[in-house]
């Protein structure tokens, strides 16, 4: 029983360190924003994406209420 737990612990430790190593190899270390899934280089494109993302989430309830009120 103890050997199974030991093997499981060893495998989890190996997996977590390999993930950290892999992420460091694929990304540029030390640069702000290098680990983000979107580009932050163009501030106007980033601003438009933020407005579209948050605006759609905040605007949908109002559009649905308007649709319900105008529906006959």
């Amino acid at each position: 029983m103890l050997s199974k737990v030991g093997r499981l612990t060893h495998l989890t430790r190996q997996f977590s360190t390999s993930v950290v190593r892999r992420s460091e190899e694929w990304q540029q270390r030390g640069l702000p924003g290098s680990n983000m899934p979107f580009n932050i280089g163009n501030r106007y494109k980033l601003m438009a994406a933020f407005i579209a993302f948050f605006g759609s989430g905040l605007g949908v309830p109002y559009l649905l209420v308007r649709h319900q009120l105008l529906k006959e």
Side-chain angles (χ1 to χ4, degrees):
M1 174 91 178
L2 186 59
S3 64
K4 289 182 182 180
V5 172
R7 273 188 267 150
L8 182 64
T9 306
H10 178 69
L11 286 174
T12 24
R13 197 174 310 143
Q14 248 183 346
F15 176 73
S16 64
T17 56
S18 67
V19 170
V20 171
R21 245 184 279 129
R22 194 178 316 129
S23 68
E24 289 176 359
E25 291 172 1
W26 290 340
Q27 297 173 0
Q28 298 171 344
R29 291 183 59 193
L31 294 177
S34 65
N35 59 346
M36 292 187 179
F38 48 85
N39 185 14
I40 62 169
N42 185 352
R43 72 169 55 173
Y44 299 109
K45 183 179 174 184
L46 180 65
M47 180 183 63
F50 268 81
I51 289 172
F53 179 75
F54 290 111
S56 65
L58 293 172
V60 166
Y62 294 104
L63 293 173
L64 290 175
V65 168
R66 181 178 184 273
H67 172 71
Q68 289 296 323
L69 290 173
L70 292 177
K71 192 165 66 169
E72 290 184 18

